[in-house]
Amino acid sequence: MAEQIKETGTVPRPGEAIHLPGPSYLPAIVALGVTLAVVGVVINPFVCGAGVLITLYAVLRWVGDTRRDIAELPLEHDSH
């Protein structure tokens, strides 16, 4: 690339656009669910069950949001 800048005097255009996912509260909810599940093992089985349910719900929502986000990408944005 340095040779191209020296030869032509211009910087080449970037190869592809960068895609970043939007902000999400789901990682924090997964952390809360895992924490409740681990603490529930010691304190109470119902707390553990609630933690597992919260974790499963948040992970499934997170995966679904990610799949929708990827499906909305333009076709040129290939993952090769």
Side-chain angles (χ1 to χ4, degrees), residues 1-27:
M1 184 164 96
E3 293 86 21
Q4 183 179 4
I5 295 172
K6 287 179 185 177
E7 291 173 10
T8 63
T10 61
V11 178
R13 294 181 59 197
E16 70 177 66
I18 296 174
H19 171 72
L20 296 175
S24 177
Y25 55 87
L26 292 170

